[in-house]
Amino acid sequence: MVTAVRHLGPNWYASVMGTAIVATAGAALPVHLSGLRTICAAFWLLSLALLLTLLCARALHWRHHGDQARAHLLDPAMAPFYDCLAMALLAVGGGALTVGRYWIGTTAAVALDTVLFTAGTAVGLAAAITVPYLMAVRQNADPRQATPVWLLPLVAPMVSAALGPSLVPHLPAGQPRETLLLACFAMFGLSLLATLAMLPLVFARIVTGGPLPLALTPTLFLVLGPLGQSTTAVGKFADVAPGVVAAPYSQGFGVLAVLYGVPVMGFALLWLALATAHVVRARRHGMRFAMTWWAFTFPVGTCVTGAEALARHTGLVVYDWLATGLFVALVAAWATAALHTARGVVSGALLAGPRPAPVAPLPVRVRTTSGAVR
């Protein structure tokens, strides 16, 4: 077991995020299907089990393979994935209050969400500072190698902003509720402004630097994360603001939910089409499964919850249909990624170390029929 986790990177937490978002997104769908709540709760329980398993495995990784863990932290391609731990904690915590409460009770769900939200927010804020700092002073990151993975350290505060408002009604009335809501709003601004600073760099790299390597092509979907999650966040602010902040500001949150969410969701759909086109091209060129395929899940799930928020605040049926269609795509993506991951774990291929680069064969001298040597 100790040897098996040597190459277990922080990117594995993406499987927890992708599983938890299925539960959260499915619970708010505008359609009413028999057994949907039970299915969503089952997905949440699976995400909780995956989280506990990975926390133990990653603890073994740090305990027995600290050299590899430190190498991941100093690798500009892998270090941003350390933020996936924060988002996994937050996603499972949010799912506890959304669907888990039907199985474990509201009191236990609030307690679990409080612990995971606090831990996830602390880890996310620390990573949002540490990872960009290391990229600047230790990793010698090259702008020509920018990928959507660089956005990951900036997304976790937005996840906190989107999931924190669910805890607001469970706090004492008055300043505790207002403090948490405005803290979530502050994290919304932190993540949004940082993303706006980083996204042009990523977009310029994609447009001017050619297609990403095949294995990294699915990471284009990561851009959907801050877009869908921020739309979800402003919708949640508007949901809980009445009675928590003064009337003019609570009404302002309602306006923001629409005036911000509609154009951002429009850009998210544009990016979804662009990313899908790149993935189709990469698939035709031989793209095979890698853990980056989990990028098809959580970011798309945030667009589902964002569309659900817009449906609530605009009353437009088109957003109900959009949320339902994206959820179908989310479930298909989750099933594909989960199946390939299970196969890779059973076969050991996903836990094996990187393959050494092939050695070029030595030139061979042969004699032709004319006697010349080549």
Side-chain angles (χ1 to χ4, degrees):
M1 176 63 180
V2 172
T3 304
V5 301
R6 174 166 178 76
H7 299 286
L8 186 73
N11 56 324
W12 278 73
Y13 285 113
S15 62
V16 179
M17 299 157 52
T19 303
I21 199 67
V22 174
T24 304
L29 282 178
V31 298
H32 301 284
L33 299 177
S34 177
L36 180 60
R37 178 186 296 180
T38 302
I39 294 173
C40 290
F43 268 95
W44 174 75
L45 283 175
L46 177 59
S47 70
L48 178 60
L50 289 173
L51 176 62
L52 295 175
T53 301
L54 282 174
L55 286 174
C56 293
R58 288 286 297 167
L60 287 175
H61 179 83
W62 272 97
R63 174 67 178 82
H64 297 281
H65 305 289
D67 60 327
Q68 187 73 6
R70 288 187 291 273
H72 285 163
L73 193 57
L74 296 178
D75 182 357
M78 184 61 72
F81 285 103
Y82 270 87
D83 220 42
C84 288
L85 167 59
M87 290 185 280
L89 294 169
L90 292 165
V92 175
L97 206 53
T98 303
V99 295
R101 60 190 175 94
Y102 298 117
W103 283 19
I104 65 175
T106 301
T107 301
V110 170
L112 179 59
D113 189 18
T114 300
V115 171
L116 294 181
F117 175 80
T118 302
T121 299
V123 173
L125 291 174
I129 298 171
T130 303
V131 174
Y133 174 79
L134 290 175
M135 291 175 68
V137 302
R138 296 290 300 275
Q139 298 172 356
N140 297 319
D142 188 341
R144 294 171 297 180
Q145 298 177 346
T147 71
V149 173
W150 288 15
L151 292 171
L152 284 175
L154 313 176
V155 178
M158 188 66 78
V159 180
S160 294
L163 297 177
S166 296
L167 285 170
V168 169
H170 300 280
L171 292 176
Q175 290 212 5
R177 293 185 180 183
E178 185 174 1
T179 299
L180 178 57
L181 178 58
L182 293 184
C184 291
F185 193 36
M187 288 187 286
F188 165 84
L190 179 160
S191 180
L192 176 63
L193 295 177
T195 298
L196 291 176
M198 182 69 74
L199 188 55
L201 182 63
V202 174
F203 187 71
R205 157 63 183 86
I206 294 170
V207 173
T208 63
L212 294 176
L214 296 182
L216 287 178
T217 302
T219 64
L220 288 171
F221 277 72
L222 294 177
V223 176
L224 297 175
L227 301 176
Q229 200 68 277
S230 61
T231 304
T232 303
V234 293
K236 291 292 185 67
F237 298 156
D239 290 340
V240 303
V244 175
V245 295
Y249 302 110
S250 63
Q251 295 170 357
F253 278 121
V255 173
L256 180 65
V258 177
L259 294 187
Y260 174 88
V262 171
V264 171
M265 182 57 66
F267 180 69
L269 294 177
L270 170 66
W271 192 274
L272 176 61
L274 176 65
T276 300
H278 275 267
V279 169
V280 170
R281 173 196 171 277
R283 190 64 172 162
R284 289 176 177 174
H285 283 74
M287 181 184 73
R288 296 183 178 182
F289 175 76
M291 288 300 290
T292 52
W293 280 33
W294 282 100
F296 298 141
T297 57
F298 189 79
V300 174
T302 66
C303 291
V304 176
T305 57
E308 291 167 346
L310 286 174
R312 291 195 308 272
H313 292 283
T314 64
L316 294 178
V317 177
V318 65
Y319 286 115
D320 288 333
W321 285 105
L322 177 60
T324 303
L326 289 174
F327 183 75
V328 172
L330 168 63
V331 172
W334 180 89
T336 302
L339 177 61
H340 283 83
T341 301
R343 286 177 177 175
V345 171
V346 172
S347 67
L350 286 179
L351 295 175
R355 297 179 180 179
V359 179
L362 295 175
V364 178
R365 296 169 62 87
V366 298
R367 184 175 298 275
T368 65
T369 55
S370 63
V373 177
R374 295 181 180 178

